[in-house]
Amino acid sequence: MEDIYIGTPNAKQDEFLRCKKKYVAFGGARGGGKSWAVRCKAKLLAQRYPGIRMLLVRRTMPEIEANHLETLRLELAGTAVYRAEERRFVFGNGSVLQFGYCACDRDADRYQGAEYDVIFFDEATQLKEQWMRKLAACVRGVNGFPKRIYYTCNPGGPGHGYIKRLFIDRRYEPGENGGEYAFIPARVTDNGALLARQPEYIRQLEALPPKLRAAWLEGRWDVLAGQVFQEFTDDPAHYADRRWTHVIRPFDIPREWNVYRSYDFGYAKPFSCGWWAVDFDGCVYRILELYGCTGTPDEGVLWTPERQFAEIRRMEDEHPYLRGRTIRGVADPAIWDASRGESIYETALKHRLFFEKGDNRRIPGWMQLHYRMSFDGEGYPMLYVFENCRAFIRTVPGLSYSTTAPEDVDTGQEDHAADESRYFCMMRPIAPRERTEIRRGPGETGGGGAPPPGPNSADGENAKFYTKGLDKLCSRAII
């Protein structure tokens, strides 16, 4: 197979092409040259490893046609044959570059059983986490080819929280090895070729509304247009002083503080139970949670109400935050429905768990969360979240607005922890506070950088209570 002419990469693209980590994210802002880098990497891999199987995925096939196929048909003429009916390029050495799309759960299921050596998730933040996880399971095989996943991305979209956790915050779950992940930021200012051809593009980005400009020009991951709770901040630098952050380190709860329980039922979808402490100033702290998720986002553990309430009862009997306290509960009024036999609430009563019917008005509930998340002039909010409450921290910040009800949260998202949190906030409503913008220095971003808790941290200590039960590049030098 002949060498493939690829042109000259800029410095960031060159870094991407040379990176050998298993999981590599590239981009973080508009105009960084991501599409060129993906095509170049695929061509180099096809040349270096005869017979390698690669998959390039975007949300829709028209996006692939517009962003990649037209260009690749020209670039690979005489080198690879495009088989339109199969949506793939077949190279002379047997390497294959397959194209696919994923816009819904059914699309993700179509890849079950397929095997690839390399997957490119192009515009990964436009894909849901569960779709990327499903397709990532297709990266396997006993051959000697590298097994890698590449993500190109901009802030925003349904996969924002997942990509941010892995590559910006670098917070890893069990089974994820941080040493295998690399993020290579690229902005339009890194892409000299684009600026030479289209110098007005940077001015177009500068003219965007503030939040979009921050995300697409500056590559800010903590500012997201369309995000409901834009004020939510997770800043480990302030865990200790509790200023300009909502996430803080756990501490012992004074016996004099009242503790509350909020609950949202789920079976095929996750159930969520949160415990809240209230100090003498009325500030609330989410101190603990039990979240019924399999590990696949928005997939429930299929626990019956009986099992859920038995575990909640055990936690309240045994956990040092909860043991010996009188706990007032609030839940979705739907658990009182007895039209199909014993209500879910009747099951809760058998375990000595009492709930009040929550005020289920959605917009007022979301506004109460906004009021409590607002910072005062000194940087103190009226709502904090202990860093061990992973479900809240993972799901609530990424919620976006509905396209049909502009003031409401899109109900197709993983909103279970958010729902039970608004039930609780509606129990203790507060008046709006004067909103204060967070002032950041150049290059600063919020929400990231904290390492996972160690075995002696409060989170590790209490874990059992959470889930018991260049013109031409030498391909050998780059791949």
Side-chain angles (χ1 to χ4, degrees):
M1 184 175 177
E2 296 181 358
D3 287 336
I4 298 174
Y5 179 84
I6 63 169
T8 305
N10 63 46
K12 293 294 186 178
Q13 291 168 334
D14 183 68
E15 184 180 353
F16 171 76
L17 295 174
R18 295 179 185 277
C19 185
K20 297 182 180 181
K21 294 291 181 74
K22 184 174 182 179
Y23 306 98
V24 184
F26 180 60
R30 290 291 180 100
K34 300 183 295 294
S35 296
W36 182 92
V38 163
R39 293 193 298 271
C40 184
K41 188 70 175 183
K43 290 184 290 185
L44 290 169
L45 286 167
Q47 181 188 43
R48 174 67 178 85
Y49 299 101
I52 195 170
R53 290 177 53 82
M54 299 173 288
L55 173 67
L56 193 158
V57 179
R58 283 193 68 146
R59 191 174 180 91
T60 69
M61 277 305 297
E63 293 177 13
I64 290 178
E65 182 74 37
N67 287 275
H68 296 292
L69 285 182
E70 292 182 4
T71 301
L72 284 171
R73 286 191 185 106
L74 295 173
E75 293 178 344
L76 295 177
T79 302
V81 176
Y82 182 64
R83 298 178 180 175
E85 68 282 1
E86 300 172 357
R87 297 196 296 270
R88 63 172 64 180
F89 279 100
V90 179
F91 293 77
N93 64 358
S95 297
V96 173
L97 175 58
Q98 180 80 52
F99 299 92
Y101 61 91
C102 190
C104 63
D105 293 344
R106 185 172 62 254
D107 291 341
D109 291 339
R110 290 188 300 104
Y111 295 92
Q112 187 172 356
E115 288 189 10
Y116 299 98
D117 302 300
V118 175
I119 291 181
F120 299 90
F121 290 116
D122 195 24
E123 298 294 347
T125 48
Q126 299 306 309
L127 305 174
K128 290 186 177 181
E129 176 180 350
Q130 55 264 46
W131 304 342
M132 287 186 275
R133 284 181 178 268
K134 281 186 177 181
L135 270 66
C138 299
V139 177
R140 62 185 187 271
V142 296
N143 56 47
F145 300 146
K147 301 295 180 284
R148 298 177 190 163
I149 301 178
Y150 297 96
Y151 309 78
T152 68
C153 50
N154 298 315
H160 174 99
Y162 180 56
I163 298 299
K164 182 175 182 288
R165 178 180 68 81
L166 292 174
F167 296 102
I168 309 302
D169 298 343
R170 298 188 61 81
R171 296 188 177 189
Y172 301 107
E173 296 177 351
E176 296 172 346
N177 178 2
E180 295 181 323
Y181 293 79
F183 176 62
I184 300 169
R187 303 179 183 178
V188 65
T189 50
D190 297 309
N191 192 351
L194 174 62
L195 293 179
R197 291 196 309 269
Q198 194 177 348
E200 73 278 5
Y201 185 66
I202 194 167
R203 292 194 297 273
Q204 293 173 9
L205 295 178
E206 290 171 340
L208 289 169
K211 293 185 183 300
L212 277 180
R213 183 173 66 245
W216 292 357
L217 176 61
E218 302 169 19
R220 289 269 297 275
W221 288 81
D222 60 319
V223 178
L224 175 60
Q227 179 184 17
V228 177
F229 300 106
Q230 297 179 9
E231 59 269 76
F232 186 84
T233 306
D234 179 2
D235 190 346
H238 288 286
Y239 281 6
D241 64 23
R242 305 179 195 173
R243 300 180 66 209
W244 306 115
T245 185
H246 295 98
V247 182
I248 60 174
R249 294 193 185 98
F251 57 83
D252 291 335
I253 309 303
R255 298 303 299 182
E256 297 81 11
W257 291 10
N258 291 325
V259 174
Y260 298 79
R261 176 200 325 113
S262 54
Y263 174 76
D264 187 62
F265 175 73
Y267 181 73
K269 295 290 187 178
F271 69 88
S272 185
C273 185
W275 284 268
W276 304 82
V278 182
D279 68 17
F280 298 123
D281 295 319
C283 184
V284 302
Y285 302 77
R286 186 178 178 92
I287 60 175
L288 199 66
E289 64 183 21
L290 177 66
Y291 193 69
C293 184
T294 61
T296 297
D298 210 21
E299 181 179 273
V301 290
L302 306 181
W303 283 14
T304 63
E306 170 69 29
R307 185 173 180 184
Q308 293 179 33
F309 294 128
E311 179 63 9
I312 292 171
R313 178 73 269 160
R314 183 193 70 80
M315 291 177 68
E316 293 192 359
D317 288 342
E318 298 179 11
H319 199 284
Y321 290 170
L322 310 176
R323 184 174 56 235
R325 294 181 180 270
T326 299
I327 299 176
R328 183 178 167 189
V330 63
D332 185 347
I335 72 169
W336 276 264
D337 179 14
S339 62
R340 288 169 288 183
E342 181 179 275
S343 70
I344 294 171
Y345 182 55
E346 289 175 279
T347 305
L349 291 176
K350 295 177 181 178
H351 294 272
R352 297 176 288 113
L353 296 172
F354 304 96
F355 293 96
E356 301 174 16
K357 290 185 178 181
D359 186 334
N360 203 20
R361 292 177 295 163
R362 296 178 61 82
I363 309 304
W366 302 135
M367 293 310 300
Q368 282 299 315
L369 277 167
H370 282 301
Y371 297 161
R372 287 194 170 274
M373 288 184 185
S374 295
F375 294 101
D376 66 14
E378 295 183 355
Y380 296 105
M382 289 294 285
L383 181 151
Y384 288 105
V385 180
F386 281 11
E387 63 177 328
N388 52 283
C389 294
R390 302 296 190 191
F392 186 102
I393 295 169
R394 177 177 67 84
T395 63
V396 173
L399 294 175
S400 58
Y401 284 108
S402 167
T403 57
T404 57
E407 296 299 320
D408 200 1
V409 170
D410 183 348
T411 58
Q413 301 169 101
E414 193 173 356
D415 57 0
H416 320 292
D419 278 341
E420 44 97 344
S421 297
R422 67 178 166 88
Y423 304 150
F424 167 69
C425 287
M426 289 294 280
M427 290 180 76
R428 303 182 59 87
I430 63 172
R433 310 172 82 204
E434 183 177 345
R435 300 173 74 93
T436 302
E437 292 292 330
I438 299 178
R439 294 181 294 274
R440 304 189 190 279
E444 288 184 52
T445 61
N456 297 320
S457 70
D459 185 33
E461 187 176 291
N462 298 321
K464 66 179 181 179
F465 294 99
Y466 179 71
T467 54
K468 188 176 179 181
L470 287 142
D471 279 349
K472 182 183 289 185
L473 293 173
C474 174
S475 61
R476 288 184 180 274
I478 290 178
I479 306 304

